[in-house]
Amino acid sequence: MRQRKIIHVDMDAFYAAVEQRDNPALRGKPVIVGGDPSSRGVVATCSYEARAFGIHSAMSSARAYQLCPHAAFVRPRFDAYRAVSLQIRELFHEYTDIVEPLSLDEAFLDVTENKPGIEYASHVAREILQKIFQRTRLTASAGVSYNKFLAKVASDVKKPAGLTVVTPEQAEEFIAMMPIRRFHGVGRVTEKRMLARGIVNGSDLRQCSLEDLQRWFGKSGQYYYDIARGVDRRAVVPNRVRKSIGKETTMDEDCADKGEMILVLDKLAKKVEALLSARNTSGLTLTLKVKYDDFQNVTRSLTQLEPIENAETMLSLAEKMLDRTEAGIRPVRLLGLTISNLTTDIPVDETAQMELPFHLN
Amino acid sequence: MHFTVEKDILLKGLSRVQAIVEKRNTIPVLSNVLIEGADGELQLTATDLEVGMRSVYPANIKKPGKITVAAKKIYEIIKELPDREISFNVKENSWIELKCGKAQFNIVGLSADEFPHFPQPDKANFLQLSSKLCKEMIEKTLFAVSHDESKYNLNGIYCCVRPETNYLRMVATDGHRLSLIDKEIESVSSDELKQGLILPRKGIMELKKLAEESDSELLIGFMDNNAVVSKQQTVIIMRLVDGEFPDYERVIPKTNEHRADIAVDPLLHALRRMIILSSEKSRGVKMTFKENQLVVSSSNPELGDAREELDVDYVGPELEVGFNARYLLDILQVQDQDQIQLFLKDHVSPGLLKPAQEDGYLAVVMPMRL
């Protein structure tokens, strides 16, 4: 199989950096985004200034307060983070459509084939980091390698605003020097048990036989064995997301009465509004679809600066667009309304099952 | 080694270890069962390095020793032998000669030296647990354990002892629903349980089987990163899940003000009917609460739709919420009481279920968007 070229992009101290960008008073100061120190909340992200005090994510906010009482505690603003996340994902798609977002601030990109046709993945990564900064005034770090595991570890090497490349030739040495806690999938307990067996870094891990690793760590043994050799066959799997949400209806009889068409559009707008609100989303573009009695289809679109989410707005835009068609002059058999340029990611295979809110404060 | 044993005894012993033996294993000896004979006792051991089991059975040991042999094959053979005494004789080069009536088998064995060490637990610090109680606690939580291997910290049941109490708690969640039970036990001195730990699903299933076998007490203890369970002649050892269980208390709703009192059986049967027309993938049903009435409905564009009305005690505003019917059935099926209470806030917040008479059990289910 051909060698893959994979980039892992990770925004630096993402939530905290957005807060510092949007509020100059927070710049250069320890900023903790997360729960209130008086609550049972935890730190979601903290700025590099706060990390100097030993604060890290997932620590209780109360503990963070003890370590650094003068830090600014900020409640998360997910809308702002999501907006940036959309911006950077759009940027990724200028290079490749094989983008696997891991969270709002982290993604794998497979740039083996990339849209601009750039030969070196490291050049792609460099460009992406520069453009992220130009467009968002935020910094990110990237890791470039031939598999996901190495790319992910590499992105963490020179944080913040760092770029680390691990070529197949460098992989062995890179892994050998790596402390085992940095291996993805080695938690605190496993780390302790590895250290107890004298496994301190990748080189030690590589000395272990598959049998021993399985004996000591069970099923994970195979994984540790592989990654110690730089083997990770997982592909970058793009999260396929819905591009639009809409509804259309075929009239009982072909219709040439614009008033009647507007009544139909009003019903459609209300249905689309319900579909959007059920998914807690909105979109910037509304498209009207008209099918004439001879089955010819036309569409008209309008893009707004503010996200469209309510039926009233949709109807007034739809009426304007209807005037730009021959509806009424020619009889119409079908009308449809669709919202696109969605402001949130809606998975294609939308499992409507919601998640228990373990992560909300 | 040479011993003779009744077919039934050997068959029972071998059938118990079948679930432990790993089907696809890179270490060949792990698909084997270790058979040891000494002092009038036959000892069978199997392990996949995550979960191990050792049981002792009476046998006539003519010459002590040990050997390992493919667990599935030996089980298939013994199952088909006549109901007589079996002679099990280890020959040179680990060949095993089996005789029963007029049937004779020569089977390839593997030296016992290859078999992983099975720790001898020191039972001094073990706590006692009633088999019946243990079985109930597992039954009421096991269904909520995640099957998603990438969520390894949810691939087991979280066990802990409530601070300053003698209440043992078990909690399981897959991120969509959660099941929790508290039961009083005799005494607890285990630091491990005070801190909380995660028992792996496979180990739990073996523990459940052990608890179901008879009413005698279970002994549970911890060593290194393992839980050790023993009952009569059997010891199970399981590697604890290396991960942190999520802060589950945070998702248990505290302010769900709309309460419906529902009879368990009618709801269970209605859901079983409604689930037939729900989408196969999501299993979603709609529950509409009106004054003293619950309407359960489902629809499938390709098949049709269905609805059923139930009398319930409910006085709140009209409320429509979607749930995965499978999740509700899992909960209802393990209830011992006739009535259950469902506490809701709205159609996007977790719903809380509790038996009408407080008995330490609760379940949380996240709704679906329908």
Side-chain angles (χ1 to χ4, degrees):
Chain A
M1 194 189 65
R2 201 172 142 206
Q3 193 89 263
R4 288 188 182 123
K5 295 174 185 173
I6 292 171
I7 305 179
H8 178 252
V9 180
D10 190 8
M11 299 296 289
D12 300 322
F14 184 49
Y15 299 170
V18 174
E19 296 306 328
Q20 288 179 319
R21 178 192 72 174
D22 295 350
N23 181 357
L26 297 175
R27 290 180 199 161
K29 294 203 177 119
V31 175
I32 292 164
V33 181
D36 193 83
S38 61
S39 73
R40 302 197 329 114
V42 294
V43 176
T45 315
C46 58
S47 67
Y48 285 92
E49 294 84 356
R51 292 180 196 193
F53 291 88
I55 297 165
H56 55 78
S57 48
M59 175 184 273
S60 75
S61 298
R63 173 83 186 120
Y65 181 77
Q66 284 175 356
L67 290 172
C68 183
H70 65 278
F73 284 83
V74 184
R75 302 288 306 203
R77 293 181 302 138
F78 285 101
D79 285 346
Y81 312 147
R82 211 166 279 131
V84 177
S85 185
L86 280 174
Q87 255 182 308
I88 59 170
R89 268 183 223 172
E90 208 165 280
L91 166 60
F92 296 156
H93 281 278
E94 292 171 19
Y95 291 87
T96 175
D97 285 329
I98 312 178
V99 176
E100 179 180 338
L102 298 178
S103 58
L104 288 178
D105 61 335
E106 227 186 304
F108 283 115
L109 283 69
D110 186 329
V111 295
T112 320
E113 308 279 346
N114 58 75
K115 293 179 187 176
I118 300 171
E119 184 178 359
Y120 294 106
S122 56
H123 294 179
V124 178
R126 173 69 57 209
E127 269 193 39
I128 288 177
L129 295 188
Q130 280 166 356
K131 286 197 183 161
I132 288 177
F133 187 72
Q134 282 165 9
R135 295 189 196 176
T136 68
R137 310 313 289 172
L138 297 166
T139 64
S141 298
V144 179
S145 194
Y146 58 93
N147 67 36
K148 282 168 121 178
F149 161 68
L150 287 168
K152 177 148 169 109
V153 179
S155 70
D156 204 30
V157 171
K158 290 186 207 147
K159 261 187 166 298
L163 170 62
T164 304
V165 181
V166 182
T167 63
E169 296 74 37
Q170 297 163 336
E172 187 175 337
E173 194 187 346
F174 179 77
I175 297 167
M177 317 247 289
M178 203 160 73
I180 46 140
R181 115 181 67 85
R182 297 269 299 281
F183 284 81
H184 180 70
V186 175
R188 268 184 297 150
V189 182
T190 306
E191 182 192 7
K192 238 199 247 165
R193 282 160 54 204
M194 286 198 176
L195 291 176
R197 297 201 179 266
I199 306 170
V200 178
N201 56 34
S203 155
D204 301 327
L205 190 61
R206 194 170 175 152
Q207 307 289 321
C208 304
S209 70
L210 176 60
E211 285 71 22
D212 279 345
L213 287 172
Q214 288 186 328
R215 217 175 289 274
W216 299 332
F217 306 110
K219 281 189 196 122
S220 316
Q222 177 80 49
Y223 173 73
Y224 299 138
Y225 182 83
D226 285 343
I227 58 171
R229 283 156 185 76
V231 174
D232 177 4
R233 295 182 189 85
R234 292 173 301 161
V236 177
V237 187
N239 276 3
R240 298 202 305 128
V241 293
R242 277 178 77 156
K243 297 227 180 325
S244 64
I245 288 176
K247 200 86 196 164
E248 55 184 43
T249 185
T250 305
M251 322 266 208
D252 297 335
E253 286 170 37
D254 293 350
C255 165
D257 176 359
K258 269 194 153 175
E260 218 168 288
M261 289 181 218
I262 286 166
L263 285 178
V264 172
L265 288 174
D266 181 45
K267 274 189 195 160
L268 284 173
K270 285 186 174 126
K271 281 184 184 158
V272 174
E273 179 190 78
L275 291 172
L276 292 172
S277 95
R279 289 160 185 80
N280 215 347
T281 192
S282 54
L284 299 176
T285 304
L286 179 71
T287 302
L288 168 75
K289 177 178 170 185
V290 177
K291 189 187 270 184
Y292 299 118
D293 61 344
D294 61 357
F295 290 86
Q296 188 203 353
N297 274 320
V298 293
T299 59
R300 298 285 181 266
S301 292
L302 274 175
T303 299
Q304 302 293 100
L305 290 172
E306 290 288 313
I308 307 163
E309 52 189 13
N310 66 56
E312 224 173 294
T313 319
M314 280 183 243
L315 184 63
S316 77
L317 294 171
E319 281 184 53
K320 276 186 211 161
M321 291 190 279
L322 193 65
D323 289 340
R324 288 165 38 204
T325 70
E326 292 169 75
I329 305 168
R330 293 166 68 177
V332 167
R333 65 175 278 121
L334 173 146
L335 287 171
L337 284 180
T338 302
I339 292 281
S340 54
N341 259 328
L342 300 177
T343 50
T344 57
D345 278 352
I346 311 291
V348 172
D349 52 345
E350 188 176 12
T351 48
Q353 177 63 53
M354 292 185 261
E355 303 272 333
L356 285 169
F358 282 113
H359 306 292
L360 298 180
N361 287 308
Chain B
M1 176 173 64
H2 184 202
F3 63 85
T4 61
V5 63
E6 286 303 320
K7 174 200 164 172
D8 282 355
I9 292 176
L10 188 55
L11 186 65
K12 181 183 169 204
L14 289 170
S15 82
R16 286 173 96 170
V17 299
Q18 293 301 308
I20 307 267
V21 177
E22 187 70 52
K23 284 121 219 146
R24 37 180 177 89
N25 210 300
T26 43
I27 308 175
V29 76
L30 295 187
S31 34
N32 285 12
V33 53
L34 171 66
I35 302 176
E36 295 169 276
D39 306 327
E41 280 181 343
L42 189 62
Q43 192 167 266
L44 302 182
T45 310
T47 177
D48 69 349
L49 300 175
E50 304 275 337
V51 181
M53 180 190 274
R54 167 167 285 179
S55 313
V56 178
Y57 304 93
N60 181 9
I61 310 294
K62 297 188 166 160
K63 187 176 158 211
K66 51 188 174 177
I67 190 75
T68 82
V69 60
K72 292 266 176 299
K73 271 294 161 226
I74 185 93
Y75 174 68
E76 286 170 20
I77 292 169
I78 303 296
K79 204 168 79 180
E80 297 308 329
L81 289 179
D83 288 333
R84 301 248 191 96
E85 193 178 65
I86 296 171
S87 156
F88 187 110
N89 196 357
V90 179
K91 301 282 178 88
E92 265 175 44
N93 291 325
S94 303
W95 279 91
I96 299 162
E97 179 196 79
L98 275 183
K99 282 186 186 166
C100 182
K102 288 178 180 162
Q104 181 173 339
F105 285 81
N106 288 300
I107 315 162
V108 181
L110 195 68
S111 156
D113 304 339
E114 300 277 313
F115 204 81
H117 170 70
F118 193 90
Q120 255 333 307
D122 164 22
K123 294 188 187 161
N125 291 320
F126 277 38
L127 64 99
Q128 279 199 3
L129 191 60
S130 123
S131 281
K132 205 169 148 243
L133 189 75
C134 183
K135 174 177 172 272
E136 180 190 347
M137 294 183 78
I138 293 175
E139 259 171 10
K140 289 187 175 171
T141 47
L142 183 61
F143 58 81
V145 171
S146 172
H147 287 259
D148 179 351
E149 282 197 24
S150 69
K151 295 180 180 166
Y152 62 98
N153 60 330
L154 304 183
N155 291 165
I157 294 180
Y158 178 75
C159 302
C160 67
V161 168
R162 311 286 299 131
E164 316 295 325
T165 69
N166 277 340
Y167 278 89
L168 178 64
R169 168 170 287 185
M170 289 194 188
V171 192
T173 178
D174 60 5
H176 298 145
R177 35 61 186 276
L178 173 146
S179 197
L180 176 153
I181 187 163
D182 283 332
K183 287 286 174 190
E184 193 166 10
I185 56 173
E186 270 169 28
S187 70
V188 186
S189 57
S190 153
D191 289 338
E192 288 88 350
L193 275 177
K194 281 178 188 155
Q195 280 178 16
L197 47 87
I198 308 172
L199 298 177
R201 180 223 306 281
K202 185 171 175 179
I204 288 276
M205 310 241 283
E206 292 307 316
L207 170 55
K208 180 164 169 270
K209 282 187 217 162
L210 197 62
E212 281 165 352
E213 269 177 16
S214 71
D215 277 347
S216 52
E217 298 275 291
L218 289 159
L219 293 172
I220 301 182
F222 302 94
M223 46 191 263
D224 304 327
N225 275 297
N226 295 297
V228 183
V229 183
S230 95
K231 179 175 171 178
Q232 292 164 321
Q233 298 307 306
T234 301
V235 176
I236 295 174
I237 181 157
M238 61 185 97
R239 190 197 300 271
L240 300 177
V241 174
D242 177 10
E244 263 177 61
F245 202 71
D247 187 359
Y248 62 91
E249 288 184 77
R250 139 185 319 203
V251 302
I252 301 173
K254 280 146 197 98
T255 55
N256 284 5
E257 51 184 347
H258 306 309
R259 180 180 121 188
D261 289 64
I262 312 170
V264 171
D265 247 27
L267 178 59
L268 188 78
H269 289 109
L271 285 169
R272 282 194 183 138
R273 285 185 280 271
M274 295 304 115
I275 200 173
I276 301 171
L277 286 195
S278 64
S279 127
E280 279 196 18
K281 205 167 153 212
S282 73
R283 288 299 180 207
V285 295
K286 194 194 286 177
M287 300 179 81
T288 310
F289 291 91
K290 297 174 191 167
E291 195 175 324
N292 291 330
Q293 191 194 52
L294 163 61
V295 180
V296 186
S297 61
S298 63
S299 74
N300 185 322
E302 282 124 51
L303 296 171
D305 48 58
R307 71 193 292 279
E308 182 159 348
E309 285 172 23
L310 295 165
D311 293 331
V312 299
D313 286 338
Y314 179 76
V315 289
E318 184 167 330
L319 203 55
E320 195 176 279
V321 53
F323 281 115
N324 180 330
R326 191 71 260 157
Y327 294 170
L328 296 176
L329 285 171
D330 283 342
I331 296 162
L332 295 173
Q333 271 155 1
V334 297
Q335 297 307 310
D336 336 289
Q337 295 182 28
D338 300 338
Q339 291 277 326
I340 195 155
Q341 298 175 335
L342 171 62
F343 297 81
L344 294 170
K345 186 173 175 190
D346 51 40
H347 68 291
V348 291
S349 305
L352 173 70
L353 291 116
K354 280 178 170 184
Q357 308 286 320
E358 175 73 33
D359 71 351
Y361 179 76
L362 68 84
V364 181
V365 184
M366 202 60 194
M368 300 183 80
R369 295 194 181 97
L370 292 180

